[in-house]
Amino acid sequence: MGKIAFVDLKKQLDFLEPAVSRAINAVVAAGQFINGPEVQQLEQALSEYVGAEHCVACANGTDALTLPLLAWSIGPGDAVFCPTFTFIATAEVVALRGASCVFVDIDPVTYNIDPESLAERIEFVLKKTSLKPKVVIPVDLFGLPYDYDKISAIAERYGLKILEDAAQGFGGLYGDKRAGSLGDVSATSFFPSKPLACYGDGGAIFTQDRQLAGLLKSIRGHGAGSDRYEHLRLGLNSRLDTLQAAILLVKLAAFPQELQARQKVAKRYEDALRGLVLSVPEIPSSSLSSWAQYTIRVPAQVRDAVVDDVKAKGAPVMVYYPKCLHLQKAFEYLGGHVGQFPAAEKATREVLSLPMHPYLSEQDQDRVVETLKASLKAAGV
Ligand SMILES: *Cc1c(COP(=O)(O)O)cnc(C)c1O
């Protein structure tokens, strides 16, 4: 039996290969590797899909988070709130700006930032520190858009800007709003394992604000003004390659179908596993997940053994994330401690993510499920 891939890029390549090859060849023939016309075409297509007025393509998802912080001049003395259960980039960009990262617990069902914990942490900052609360970065974790209504009410009450981290959420829906349109600014990533993926690094920023979009474009290109060698401010080199843009145009056309296929895979996992594990993902009825990950919970005392066993039997499973950010050495200086964010810490002990991609065959999926069931049984669950 063949090995099952966690995210099967090879299968996707076979399916889209002729169109992707044509797109790559056209860019190579034209030779405009930087700022080719495909970049603007992609920005246009992405903003239409997401339902945001403006899209600024950039080099990766981490830069897509950094550029808005630069545009808003976030720095020392500013408090930026983000969940402790996420990929490190969400918080890293804040700390690298010299701002203070204030961690927040998660909702144990959605895994997204917990509104009550957010309000509490803002009050803490206001009462016990001299920091100014400026920004909240809710994350569309595992593909599920964050609780937009509750978080924007809190953001409004305290005058915070929302920077949506939609690196995993691209394609997801909150009511009729697409992930990527849910923040004052939203950032996404096209890293190969994300729902919409390119063949390397890539990212994009979305906003409804024309002036801000102009500022983001300037900062993306070394702070340039109307002339390329006039610099109005400091910036980055954070362009998206023309080649990646051309590839993404092809992939975006296939994306709605892939999103459907992901729903089917998720439904089959749910039917097979509900009741057998501690929890399967619960998606609020008015939301749609882009299923960047399909994450279940098993009892903490057997989780690591089950993961090792299932992996050894050829079904790749992963733990996203094994450690909260407030307990990472990189953030030691913030003085976080065990027990500070109970919901997030419990999640790190119980979660495991199953292979999830639109080209996962029913046969391979059944093998994953059977292997998992056997492992759980062997572990006495
Ligand atoms: C992947 C990811 C990022 C960073 O994206 P890159 O393109 O790898 O820089 C940021 N936040 C979250 C939640 C992610 O999953």
Side-chain angles (χ1 to χ4, degrees):
M1 267 193 286
K3 199 170 175 305
I4 301 167
F6 192 69
V7 174
D8 200 336
L9 299 170
K10 176 70 175 61
K11 261 191 199 154
Q12 190 188 48
L13 188 59
D14 290 345
F15 174 65
L16 294 172
E17 166 57 29
V20 170
S21 285
R22 274 197 303 277
I24 292 174
N25 291 338
V27 173
V28 172
Q32 207 179 334
F33 296 111
I34 300 292
N35 289 337
E38 288 83 355
V39 177
Q40 266 192 22
Q41 283 165 27
L42 177 72
E43 288 176 335
Q44 179 68 31
L46 285 171
S47 50
E48 272 164 29
Y49 180 78
V50 161
E53 280 297 312
H54 306 278
C55 171
V56 180
C58 64
N60 55 66
T62 306
D63 280 3
L65 291 164
T66 296
L67 288 160
L69 296 179
L70 284 165
W72 289 332
S73 300
I74 298 301
D78 296 333
V80 177
F81 300 85
C82 65
T84 182
F85 187 70
T86 175
F87 183 58
I88 188 159
T90 312
E92 191 179 31
V93 294
V94 174
L96 283 176
R97 299 305 326 133
S100 292
C101 194
V102 181
F103 290 117
V104 180
D105 209 349
I106 57 161
D107 176 302
V109 176
T110 64
Y111 298 103
N112 290 343
I113 195 164
D114 175 37
E116 264 175 53
S117 175
L118 174 62
E120 234 168 70
R121 296 293 280 161
I122 298 170
E123 285 294 338
F124 167 81
V125 164
L126 288 171
K127 289 186 181 130
K128 301 278 161 86
T129 78
S130 56
L131 299 169
K132 289 197 210 76
K134 285 278 178 73
V135 178
V136 55
I137 311 183
V139 181
D140 302 332
L141 204 74
F142 303 146
L144 178 65
Y146 72 94
D147 192 336
Y148 171 83
D149 286 341
K150 286 199 180 136
I151 299 301
S152 36
I154 295 170
E156 200 165 314
R157 187 178 338 140
Y158 292 100
L160 301 184
K161 291 203 187 306
I162 298 181
L163 169 51
E164 176 191 11
D165 182 344
Q168 300 180 15
F170 188 88
L173 283 168
Y174 183 90
D176 57 2
K177 288 191 176 76
R178 214 38 100 179
S181 72
L182 298 173
D184 292 296
V185 177
S186 301
T188 199
S189 163
F190 306 122
F191 183 82
S193 66
K194 311 287 180 181
L196 178 63
C198 61
Y199 289 4
D201 278 311
I205 310 161
F206 299 94
T207 181
Q208 310 289 1
D209 183 334
R210 193 174 57 89
Q211 221 176 337
L212 182 61
L215 186 52
L216 290 167
K217 279 185 183 163
S218 166
I219 300 172
R220 170 183 67 179
H222 296 295
S226 50
D227 181 276
R228 206 168 138 201
Y229 294 107
E230 178 196 35
H231 303 281
L232 304 176
R233 53 188 67 84
L234 299 178
L236 305 176
N237 165 11
S238 187
R239 295 173 295 241
L240 179 73
D241 291 351
T242 310
L243 273 170
Q244 299 300 348
I247 292 163
L248 281 165
L249 278 165
V250 176
K251 303 276 306 276
L252 182 61
F255 186 74
Q257 241 178 314
E258 293 187 354
L259 191 58
Q260 286 299 317
R262 285 177 187 270
Q263 306 306 319
K264 247 194 220 163
V265 173
K267 182 71 172 63
R268 286 189 92 245
Y269 272 139
E270 181 182 341
D271 291 345
L273 295 173
R274 186 181 282 283
L276 283 176
V277 293
L278 286 185
S279 78
V280 293
E282 302 288 348
I283 306 304
S285 60
S286 57
S287 293
L288 182 83
S289 177
S290 63
W291 297 112
Q293 303 297 342
Y294 191 91
T295 302
I296 61 171
R297 291 196 194 221
V298 299
Q301 66 275 16
V302 305
R303 197 268 313 270
D304 291 345
V306 166
V307 167
D308 290 346
D309 189 47
V310 174
K311 266 191 190 164
K313 288 174 179 147
V317 292
M318 305 285 270
V319 174
Y320 296 119
Y321 295 91
K323 201 172 201 176
C324 288
L325 295 186
H326 71 281
L327 300 176
Q328 295 283 357
K329 185 145 184 11
F331 287 113
E332 204 173 44
Y333 69 97
L334 290 173
H337 57 84
V338 174
Q340 192 176 8
F341 300 110
E345 290 171 36
K346 189 161 192 280
T348 61
R349 294 190 292 266
E350 295 180 343
V351 291
L352 72 92
S353 301
L354 303 176
M356 163 55 80
H357 60 83
Y359 304 97
L360 185 65
S361 70
E362 293 193 352
Q363 200 185 354
D364 280 354
Q365 191 178 11
D366 292 344
R367 262 178 65 205
V368 172
V369 168
E370 289 318 313
T371 310
L372 178 69
K373 279 187 189 167
S375 285
L376 285 166
K377 203 164 170 203
V381 178

